[in-house]
Amino acid sequence: MAVTHTARRAFLLLVAVLTRMLSTVTAPVLQSVRVPTTDVDLVFGLGSGAVGAFVSTLIVGAILVAIAPDYVERIMDAVREDPLTSFLYGLLAIVLVVVLIVALVITIVGILLVPILGLVVGLVWAVGAAIAFLAIADRLVDHRDGWFVPLLVAAAINGGLTLTGIGGLVSFAVGAAGFGAILSDRFG
């Protein structure tokens, strides 16, 4: 139990340090950069991304808790018990998927497999991210009275993080942890 607690604290410290470092480094750089005017509206882009994150977490999570609540709880437990290992497993898997996609594109014949691989990885990522955000939401509001409130909280956290822009990195880390927990449950 001490290792799990230590790993959890180390993961949270790592996220806090990385977020602080990133904001410290990027703030002066972003202030000195002249951005050319474009027709792209940053607020619209972040807002639509946040709405997409909210809706996808809500829909995927609702489908999962309706179809496989025991599986959802098992993966939630895996994310809560060892978030750092789940994150690292998910991050490594994403790197390997990118390498595999590049290799498939180089072979030319493999190009036909890239959309299928992308679809499968995207679906597993969406499931993992929804479960990971449900694990966070379940810590805040327990699901004993039903899944409705935890689903809304999970979706709001994901949408809120995405809305901030820089919170998208934290959202990515949470998604990677869920993705890694699913892959670890299936293959590891």
PDB file of all heavy atoms in Angstrom, residues 69-102:
ATOM      1  N   PRO A  69     -20.521  -2.287 -16.104  1.00  0.00           N
ATOM      2  CA  PRO A  69     -20.146  -1.555 -14.886  1.00  0.00           C
ATOM      3  C   PRO A  69     -19.018  -2.227 -14.099  1.00  0.00           C
ATOM      4  O   PRO A  69     -18.195  -1.539 -13.485  1.00  0.00           O
ATOM      5  CB  PRO A  69     -21.439  -1.496 -14.075  1.00  0.00           C
ATOM      6  CG  PRO A  69     -22.291  -2.574 -14.620  1.00  0.00           C
ATOM      7  CD  PRO A  69     -21.909  -2.752 -16.050  1.00  0.00           C
ATOM      8  N   ASP A  70     -18.960  -3.558 -14.106  1.00  0.00           N
ATOM      9  CA  ASP A  70     -17.882  -4.248 -13.384  1.00  0.00           C
ATOM     10  C   ASP A  70     -16.530  -3.967 -14.020  1.00  0.00           C
ATOM     11  O   ASP A  70     -15.530  -3.780 -13.325  1.00  0.00           O
ATOM     12  CB  ASP A  70     -18.137  -5.760 -13.349  1.00  0.00           C
ATOM     13  CG  ASP A  70     -19.363  -6.115 -12.528  1.00  0.00           C
ATOM     14  OD1 ASP A  70     -19.724  -5.321 -11.627  1.00  0.00           O
ATOM     15  OD2 ASP A  70     -19.967  -7.172 -12.794  1.00  0.00           O
ATOM     16  N   TYR A  71     -16.485  -3.939 -15.344  1.00  0.00           N
ATOM     17  CA  TYR A  71     -15.249  -3.627 -16.059  1.00  0.00           C
ATOM     18  C   TYR A  71     -14.810  -2.197 -15.756  1.00  0.00           C
ATOM     19  O   TYR A  71     -13.629  -1.943 -15.509  1.00  0.00           O
ATOM     20  CB  TYR A  71     -15.454  -3.816 -17.568  1.00  0.00           C
ATOM     21  CG  TYR A  71     -14.239  -3.453 -18.389  1.00  0.00           C
ATOM     22  CD1 TYR A  71     -13.146  -4.301 -18.445  1.00  0.00           C
ATOM     23  CD2 TYR A  71     -14.185  -2.254 -19.090  1.00  0.00           C
ATOM     24  CE1 TYR A  71     -12.014  -3.969 -19.188  1.00  0.00           C
ATOM     25  CE2 TYR A  71     -13.070  -1.916 -19.838  1.00  0.00           C
ATOM     26  CZ  TYR A  71     -11.996  -2.779 -19.883  1.00  0.00           C
ATOM     27  OH  TYR A  71     -10.885  -2.439 -20.611  1.00  0.00           O
ATOM     28  N   VAL A  72     -15.761  -1.279 -15.749  1.00  0.00           N
ATOM     29  CA  VAL A  72     -15.457   0.122 -15.447  1.00  0.00           C
ATOM     30  C   VAL A  72     -14.838   0.233 -14.055  1.00  0.00           C
ATOM     31  O   VAL A  72     -13.818   0.897 -13.865  1.00  0.00           O
ATOM     32  CB  VAL A  72     -16.714   1.012 -15.566  1.00  0.00           C
ATOM     33  CG1 VAL A  72     -16.462   2.404 -15.009  1.00  0.00           C
ATOM     34  CG2 VAL A  72     -17.184   1.086 -17.004  1.00  0.00           C
ATOM     35  N   GLU A  73     -15.421  -0.441 -13.084  1.00  0.00           N
ATOM     36  CA  GLU A  73     -14.897  -0.377 -11.721  1.00  0.00           C
ATOM     37  C   GLU A  73     -13.516  -1.016 -11.623  1.00  0.00           C
ATOM     38  O   GLU A  73     -12.648  -0.527 -10.894  1.00  0.00           O
ATOM     39  CB  GLU A  73     -15.878  -1.014 -10.751  1.00  0.00           C
ATOM     40  CG  GLU A  73     -17.132  -0.162 -10.579  1.00  0.00           C
ATOM     41  CD  GLU A  73     -18.021  -0.635  -9.453  1.00  0.00           C
ATOM     42  OE1 GLU A  73     -17.498  -1.165  -8.456  1.00  0.00           O
ATOM     43  OE2 GLU A  73     -19.249  -0.474  -9.575  1.00  0.00           O
ATOM     44  N   ARG A  74     -13.286  -2.105 -12.349  1.00  0.00           N
ATOM     45  CA  ARG A  74     -11.976  -2.764 -12.334  1.00  0.00           C
ATOM     46  C   ARG A  74     -10.886  -1.839 -12.897  1.00  0.00           C
ATOM     47  O   ARG A  74      -9.810  -1.696 -12.323  1.00  0.00           O
ATOM     48  CB  ARG A  74     -12.033  -4.077 -13.115  1.00  0.00           C
ATOM     49  CG  ARG A  74     -10.751  -4.881 -12.993  1.00  0.00           C
ATOM     50  CD  ARG A  74     -10.859  -6.255 -13.616  1.00  0.00           C
ATOM     51  NE  ARG A  74     -10.793  -6.146 -15.071  1.00  0.00           N
ATOM     52  CZ  ARG A  74     -11.688  -6.641 -15.904  1.00  0.00           C
ATOM     53  NH1 ARG A  74     -12.730  -7.300 -15.458  1.00  0.00           N
ATOM     54  NH2 ARG A  74     -11.532  -6.504 -17.206  1.00  0.00           N
ATOM     55  N   ILE A  75     -11.176  -1.178 -14.015  1.00  0.00           N
ATOM     56  CA  ILE A  75     -10.199  -0.272 -14.610  1.00  0.00           C
ATOM     57  C   ILE A  75     -10.036   0.979 -13.748  1.00  0.00           C
ATOM     58  O   ILE A  75      -8.926   1.501 -13.596  1.00  0.00           O
ATOM     59  CB  ILE A  75     -10.580   0.089 -16.061  1.00  0.00           C
ATOM     60  CG1 ILE A  75     -10.674  -1.170 -16.921  1.00  0.00           C
ATOM     61  CG2 ILE A  75      -9.592   1.072 -16.665  1.00  0.00           C
ATOM     62  CD1 ILE A  75      -9.392  -1.968 -17.022  1.00  0.00           C
ATOM     63  N   MET A  76     -11.123   1.469 -13.162  1.00  0.00           N
ATOM     64  CA  MET A  76     -11.031   2.611 -12.243  1.00  0.00           C
ATOM     65  C   MET A  76     -10.110   2.269 -11.071  1.00  0.00           C
ATOM     66  O   MET A  76      -9.275   3.092 -10.674  1.00  0.00           O
ATOM     67  CB  MET A  76     -12.422   2.992 -11.711  1.00  0.00           C
ATOM     68  CG  MET A  76     -13.272   3.782 -12.683  1.00  0.00           C
ATOM     69  SD  MET A  76     -14.986   4.035 -12.128  1.00  0.00           S
ATOM     70  CE  MET A  76     -14.812   4.680 -10.503  1.00  0.00           C
ATOM     71  N   ASP A  77     -10.245   1.069 -10.537  1.00  0.00           N
ATOM     72  CA  ASP A  77      -9.383   0.639  -9.437  1.00  0.00           C
ATOM     73  C   ASP A  77      -7.922   0.596  -9.876  1.00  0.00           C
ATOM     74  O   ASP A  77      -7.027   0.996  -9.131  1.00  0.00           O
ATOM     75  CB  ASP A  77      -9.811  -0.734  -8.906  1.00  0.00           C
ATOM     76  CG  ASP A  77     -11.123  -0.679  -8.136  1.00  0.00           C
ATOM     77  OD1 ASP A  77     -11.507   0.422  -7.690  1.00  0.00           O
ATOM     78  OD2 ASP A  77     -11.758  -1.738  -7.987  1.00  0.00           O
ATOM     79  N   ALA A  78      -7.678   0.120 -11.091  1.00  0.00           N
ATOM     80  CA  ALA A  78      -6.302   0.048 -11.602  1.00  0.00           C
ATOM     81  C   ALA A  78      -5.709   1.447 -11.740  1.00  0.00           C
ATOM     82  O   ALA A  78      -4.542   1.673 -11.385  1.00  0.00           O
ATOM     83  CB  ALA A  78      -6.270  -0.670 -12.950  1.00  0.00           C
ATOM     84  N   VAL A  79      -6.498   2.397 -12.219  1.00  0.00           N
ATOM     85  CA  VAL A  79      -6.013   3.777 -12.366  1.00  0.00           C
ATOM     86  C   VAL A  79      -5.754   4.399 -10.998  1.00  0.00           C
ATOM     87  O   VAL A  79      -4.739   5.067 -10.791  1.00  0.00           O
ATOM     88  CB  VAL A  79      -7.022   4.638 -13.173  1.00  0.00           C
ATOM     89  CG1 VAL A  79      -6.655   6.107 -13.120  1.00  0.00           C
ATOM     90  CG2 VAL A  79      -7.096   4.159 -14.606  1.00  0.00           C
ATOM     91  N   ARG A  80      -6.639   4.151 -10.043  1.00  0.00           N
ATOM     92  CA  ARG A  80      -6.478   4.728  -8.705  1.00  0.00           C
ATOM     93  C   ARG A  80      -5.326   4.080  -7.944  1.00  0.00           C
ATOM     94  O   ARG A  80      -4.607   4.765  -7.217  1.00  0.00           O
ATOM     95  CB  ARG A  80      -7.763   4.576  -7.899  1.00  0.00           C
ATOM     96  CG  ARG A  80      -8.811   5.585  -8.262  1.00  0.00           C
ATOM     97  CD  ARG A  80      -9.947   5.551  -7.270  1.00  0.00           C
ATOM     98  NE  ARG A  80     -10.650   4.288  -7.332  1.00  0.00           N
ATOM     99  CZ  ARG A  80     -11.954   4.171  -7.573  1.00  0.00           C
ATOM    100  NH1 ARG A  80     -12.680   5.244  -7.755  1.00  0.00           N
ATOM    101  NH2 ARG A  80     -12.522   3.000  -7.619  1.00  0.00           N
ATOM    102  N   GLU A  81      -5.141   2.778  -8.092  1.00  0.00           N
ATOM    103  CA  GLU A  81      -4.118   2.070  -7.324  1.00  0.00           C
ATOM    104  C   GLU A  81      -2.706   2.382  -7.810  1.00  0.00           C
ATOM    105  O   GLU A  81      -1.784   2.440  -7.008  1.00  0.00           O
ATOM    106  CB  GLU A  81      -4.369   0.565  -7.365  1.00  0.00           C
ATOM    107  CG  GLU A  81      -5.567   0.139  -6.554  1.00  0.00           C
ATOM    108  CD  GLU A  81      -5.924  -1.330  -6.748  1.00  0.00           C
ATOM    109  OE1 GLU A  81      -5.137  -2.057  -7.395  1.00  0.00           O
ATOM    110  OE2 GLU A  81      -6.981  -1.725  -6.256  1.00  0.00           O
ATOM    111  N   ASP A  82      -2.519   2.525  -9.109  1.00  0.00           N
ATOM    112  CA  ASP A  82      -1.181   2.776  -9.633  1.00  0.00           C
ATOM    113  C   ASP A  82      -1.244   3.710 -10.838  1.00  0.00           C
ATOM    114  O   ASP A  82      -1.043   3.293 -11.979  1.00  0.00           O
ATOM    115  CB  ASP A  82      -0.525   1.446 -10.005  1.00  0.00           C
ATOM    116  CG  ASP A  82       0.981   1.545 -10.077  1.00  0.00           C
ATOM    117  OD1 ASP A  82       1.508   2.654  -9.867  1.00  0.00           O
ATOM    118  OD2 ASP A  82       1.633   0.526 -10.351  1.00  0.00           O
ATOM    119  N   PRO A  83      -1.513   5.000 -10.589  1.00  0.00           N
ATOM    120  CA  PRO A  83      -1.681   5.931 -11.708  1.00  0.00           C
ATOM    121  C   PRO A  83      -0.403   6.159 -12.513  1.00  0.00           C
ATOM    122  O   PRO A  83      -0.460   6.321 -13.726  1.00  0.00           O
ATOM    123  CB  PRO A  83      -2.147   7.223 -11.037  1.00  0.00           C
ATOM    124  CG  PRO A  83      -1.679   7.127  -9.637  1.00  0.00           C
ATOM    125  CD  PRO A  83      -1.686   5.658  -9.296  1.00  0.00           C
ATOM    126  N   LEU A  84       0.745   6.135 -11.844  1.00  0.00           N
ATOM    127  CA  LEU A  84       1.994   6.395 -12.551  1.00  0.00           C
ATOM    128  C   LEU A  84       2.317   5.279 -13.542  1.00  0.00           C
ATOM    129  O   LEU A  84       2.670   5.546 -14.693  1.00  0.00           O
ATOM    130  CB  LEU A  84       3.143   6.580 -11.555  1.00  0.00           C
ATOM    131  CG  LEU A  84       4.485   6.956 -12.159  1.00  0.00           C
ATOM    132  CD1 LEU A  84       4.376   8.280 -12.912  1.00  0.00           C
ATOM    133  CD2 LEU A  84       5.547   7.040 -11.087  1.00  0.00           C
ATOM    134  N   THR A  85       2.159   4.035 -13.107  1.00  0.00           N
ATOM    135  CA  THR A  85       2.411   2.916 -14.007  1.00  0.00           C
ATOM    136  C   THR A  85       1.421   2.923 -15.166  1.00  0.00           C
ATOM    137  O   THR A  85       1.808   2.690 -16.313  1.00  0.00           O
ATOM    138  CB  THR A  85       2.330   1.574 -13.244  1.00  0.00           C
ATOM    139  OG1 THR A  85       3.295   1.590 -12.196  1.00  0.00           O
ATOM    140  CG2 THR A  85       2.580   0.400 -14.156  1.00  0.00           C
ATOM    141  N   SER A  86       0.160   3.211 -14.880  1.00  0.00           N
ATOM    142  CA  SER A  86      -0.848   3.275 -15.946  1.00  0.00           C
ATOM    143  C   SER A  86      -0.497   4.372 -16.942  1.00  0.00           C
ATOM    144  O   SER A  86      -0.588   4.176 -18.156  1.00  0.00           O
ATOM    145  CB  SER A  86      -2.234   3.547 -15.357  1.00  0.00           C
ATOM    146  OG  SER A  86      -2.653   2.473 -14.551  1.00  0.00           O
ATOM    147  N   PHE A  87      -0.076   5.536 -16.439  1.00  0.00           N
ATOM    148  CA  PHE A  87       0.304   6.648 -17.307  1.00  0.00           C
ATOM    149  C   PHE A  87       1.494   6.276 -18.183  1.00  0.00           C
ATOM    150  O   PHE A  87       1.487   6.511 -19.392  1.00  0.00           O
ATOM    151  CB  PHE A  87       0.621   7.891 -16.469  1.00  0.00           C
ATOM    152  CG  PHE A  87       1.292   8.984 -17.248  1.00  0.00           C
ATOM    153  CD1 PHE A  87       0.571   9.750 -18.159  1.00  0.00           C
ATOM    154  CD2 PHE A  87       2.641   9.241 -17.093  1.00  0.00           C
ATOM    155  CE1 PHE A  87       1.182  10.756 -18.892  1.00  0.00           C
ATOM    156  CE2 PHE A  87       3.272  10.243 -17.812  1.00  0.00           C
ATOM    157  CZ  PHE A  87       2.539  11.001 -18.715  1.00  0.00           C
ATOM    158  N   LEU A  88       2.529   5.723 -17.574  1.00  0.00           N
ATOM    159  CA  LEU A  88       3.730   5.362 -18.334  1.00  0.00           C
ATOM    160  C   LEU A  88       3.429   4.285 -19.369  1.00  0.00           C
ATOM    161  O   LEU A  88       3.935   4.336 -20.499  1.00  0.00           O
ATOM    162  CB  LEU A  88       4.844   4.910 -17.387  1.00  0.00           C
ATOM    163  CG  LEU A  88       5.412   6.016 -16.491  1.00  0.00           C
ATOM    164  CD1 LEU A  88       6.413   5.436 -15.504  1.00  0.00           C
ATOM    165  CD2 LEU A  88       6.033   7.126 -17.312  1.00  0.00           C
ATOM    166  N   TYR A  89       2.593   3.316 -19.004  1.00  0.00           N
ATOM    167  CA  TYR A  89       2.192   2.269 -19.943  1.00  0.00           C
ATOM    168  C   TYR A  89       1.437   2.876 -21.126  1.00  0.00           C
ATOM    169  O   TYR A  89       1.676   2.542 -22.287  1.00  0.00           O
ATOM    170  CB  TYR A  89       1.326   1.243 -19.203  1.00  0.00           C
ATOM    171  CG  TYR A  89       1.286  -0.120 -19.821  1.00  0.00           C
ATOM    172  CD1 TYR A  89       2.274  -1.056 -19.573  1.00  0.00           C
ATOM    173  CD2 TYR A  89       0.223  -0.500 -20.647  1.00  0.00           C
ATOM    174  CE1 TYR A  89       2.229  -2.318 -20.125  1.00  0.00           C
ATOM    175  CE2 TYR A  89       0.176  -1.753 -21.205  1.00  0.00           C
ATOM    176  CZ  TYR A  89       1.176  -2.666 -20.936  1.00  0.00           C
ATOM    177  OH  TYR A  89       1.127  -3.914 -21.499  1.00  0.00           O
ATOM    178  N   GLY A  90       0.530   3.806 -20.832  1.00  0.00           N
ATOM    179  CA  GLY A  90      -0.235   4.474 -21.891  1.00  0.00           C
ATOM    180  C   GLY A  90       0.635   5.348 -22.764  1.00  0.00           C
ATOM    181  O   GLY A  90       0.488   5.378 -23.993  1.00  0.00           O
ATOM    182  N   LEU A  91       1.567   6.072 -22.164  1.00  0.00           N
ATOM    183  CA  LEU A  91       2.466   6.928 -22.930  1.00  0.00           C
ATOM    184  C   LEU A  91       3.361   6.098 -23.849  1.00  0.00           C
ATOM    185  O   LEU A  91       3.533   6.434 -25.026  1.00  0.00           O
ATOM    186  CB  LEU A  91       3.313   7.769 -21.967  1.00  0.00           C
ATOM    187  CG  LEU A  91       4.146   8.877 -22.577  1.00  0.00           C
ATOM    188  CD1 LEU A  91       3.251   9.900 -23.270  1.00  0.00           C
ATOM    189  CD2 LEU A  91       4.980   9.546 -21.498  1.00  0.00           C
ATOM    190  N   LEU A  92       3.902   5.014 -23.321  1.00  0.00           N
ATOM    191  CA  LEU A  92       4.729   4.125 -24.134  1.00  0.00           C
ATOM    192  C   LEU A  92       3.910   3.537 -25.285  1.00  0.00           C
ATOM    193  O   LEU A  92       4.393   3.458 -26.423  1.00  0.00           O
ATOM    194  CB  LEU A  92       5.320   3.005 -23.280  1.00  0.00           C
ATOM    195  CG  LEU A  92       6.152   1.968 -24.022  1.00  0.00           C
ATOM    196  CD1 LEU A  92       7.399   2.607 -24.614  1.00  0.00           C
ATOM    197  CD2 LEU A  92       6.520   0.820 -23.104  1.00  0.00           C
ATOM    198  N   ALA A  93       2.682   3.153 -25.009  1.00  0.00           N
ATOM    199  CA  ALA A  93       1.826   2.588 -26.048  1.00  0.00           C
ATOM    200  C   ALA A  93       1.556   3.606 -27.152  1.00  0.00           C
ATOM    201  O   ALA A  93       1.581   3.256 -28.343  1.00  0.00           O
ATOM    202  CB  ALA A  93       0.516   2.091 -25.443  1.00  0.00           C
ATOM    203  N   ILE A  94       1.321   4.863 -26.800  1.00  0.00           N
ATOM    204  CA  ILE A  94       1.082   5.899 -27.807  1.00  0.00           C
ATOM    205  C   ILE A  94       2.317   6.100 -28.675  1.00  0.00           C
ATOM    206  O   ILE A  94       2.222   6.234 -29.896  1.00  0.00           O
ATOM    207  CB  ILE A  94       0.651   7.224 -27.137  1.00  0.00           C
ATOM    208  CG1 ILE A  94      -0.782   7.115 -26.657  1.00  0.00           C
ATOM    209  CG2 ILE A  94       0.787   8.410 -28.061  1.00  0.00           C
ATOM    210  CD1 ILE A  94      -1.807   6.898 -27.752  1.00  0.00           C
ATOM    211  N   VAL A  95       3.489   6.115 -28.050  1.00  0.00           N
ATOM    212  CA  VAL A  95       4.730   6.251 -28.821  1.00  0.00           C
ATOM    213  C   VAL A  95       4.876   5.079 -29.792  1.00  0.00           C
ATOM    214  O   VAL A  95       5.211   5.265 -30.971  1.00  0.00           O
ATOM    215  CB  VAL A  95       5.957   6.358 -27.886  1.00  0.00           C
ATOM    216  CG1 VAL A  95       7.258   6.239 -28.651  1.00  0.00           C
ATOM    217  CG2 VAL A  95       5.910   7.667 -27.107  1.00  0.00           C
ATOM    218  N   LEU A  96       4.600   3.869 -29.306  1.00  0.00           N
ATOM    219  CA  LEU A  96       4.697   2.690 -30.172  1.00  0.00           C
ATOM    220  C   LEU A  96       3.668   2.731 -31.305  1.00  0.00           C
ATOM    221  O   LEU A  96       3.960   2.312 -32.425  1.00  0.00           O
ATOM    222  CB  LEU A  96       4.543   1.412 -29.353  1.00  0.00           C
ATOM    223  CG  LEU A  96       5.693   1.112 -28.394  1.00  0.00           C
ATOM    224  CD1 LEU A  96       5.374  -0.115 -27.541  1.00  0.00           C
ATOM    225  CD2 LEU A  96       6.992   0.930 -29.144  1.00  0.00           C
ATOM    226  N   VAL A  97       2.486   3.253 -31.030  1.00  0.00           N
ATOM    227  CA  VAL A  97       1.463   3.377 -32.076  1.00  0.00           C
ATOM    228  C   VAL A  97       1.926   4.358 -33.151  1.00  0.00           C
ATOM    229  O   VAL A  97       1.760   4.107 -34.346  1.00  0.00           O
ATOM    230  CB  VAL A  97       0.106   3.806 -31.474  1.00  0.00           C
ATOM    231  CG1 VAL A  97      -0.852   4.291 -32.542  1.00  0.00           C
ATOM    232  CG2 VAL A  97      -0.517   2.657 -30.705  1.00  0.00           C
ATOM    233  N   VAL A  98       2.522   5.466 -32.741  1.00  0.00           N
ATOM    234  CA  VAL A  98       3.030   6.446 -33.710  1.00  0.00           C
ATOM    235  C   VAL A  98       4.117   5.810 -34.574  1.00  0.00           C
ATOM    236  O   VAL A  98       4.127   5.960 -35.803  1.00  0.00           O
ATOM    237  CB  VAL A  98       3.545   7.721 -33.002  1.00  0.00           C
ATOM    238  CG1 VAL A  98       4.304   8.615 -33.959  1.00  0.00           C
ATOM    239  CG2 VAL A  98       2.380   8.466 -32.361  1.00  0.00           C
ATOM    240  N   VAL A  99       5.037   5.072 -33.954  1.00  0.00           N
ATOM    241  CA  VAL A  99       6.095   4.386 -34.702  1.00  0.00           C
ATOM    242  C   VAL A  99       5.482   3.365 -35.666  1.00  0.00           C
ATOM    243  O   VAL A  99       5.900   3.268 -36.828  1.00  0.00           O
ATOM    244  CB  VAL A  99       7.098   3.714 -33.741  1.00  0.00           C
ATOM    245  CG1 VAL A  99       8.039   2.781 -34.485  1.00  0.00           C
ATOM    246  CG2 VAL A  99       7.872   4.770 -32.971  1.00  0.00           C
ATOM    247  N   LEU A 100       4.486   2.633 -35.199  1.00  0.00           N
ATOM    248  CA  LEU A 100       3.823   1.646 -36.055  1.00  0.00           C
ATOM    249  C   LEU A 100       3.131   2.317 -37.236  1.00  0.00           C
ATOM    250  O   LEU A 100       3.203   1.828 -38.366  1.00  0.00           O
ATOM    251  CB  LEU A 100       2.816   0.833 -35.236  1.00  0.00           C
ATOM    252  CG  LEU A 100       2.024  -0.232 -35.990  1.00  0.00           C
ATOM    253  CD1 LEU A 100       2.960  -1.270 -36.597  1.00  0.00           C
ATOM    254  CD2 LEU A 100       1.020  -0.892 -35.065  1.00  0.00           C
ATOM    255  N   ILE A 101       2.483   3.442 -36.997  1.00  0.00           N
ATOM    256  CA  ILE A 101       1.815   4.155 -38.096  1.00  0.00           C
ATOM    257  C   ILE A 101       2.836   4.630 -39.124  1.00  0.00           C
ATOM    258  O   ILE A 101       2.621   4.494 -40.335  1.00  0.00           O
ATOM    259  CB  ILE A 101       0.959   5.322 -37.551  1.00  0.00           C
ATOM    260  CG1 ILE A 101      -0.285   4.763 -36.864  1.00  0.00           C
ATOM    261  CG2 ILE A 101       0.578   6.293 -38.652  1.00  0.00           C
ATOM    262  CD1 ILE A 101      -1.133   5.792 -36.163  1.00  0.00           C
ATOM    263  N   VAL A 102       3.942   5.170 -38.661  1.00  0.00           N
ATOM    264  CA  VAL A 102       4.995   5.610 -39.592  1.00  0.00           C
ATOM    265  C   VAL A 102       5.514   4.417 -40.395  1.00  0.00           C
ATOM    266  O   VAL A 102       5.689   4.500 -41.613  1.00  0.00           O
ATOM    267  CB  VAL A 102       6.144   6.316 -38.834  1.00  0.00           C
ATOM    268  CG1 VAL A 102       7.345   6.537 -39.731  1.00  0.00           C
ATOM    269  CG2 VAL A 102       5.655   7.634 -38.254  1.00  0.00           C
TER     270      VAL A 102
END
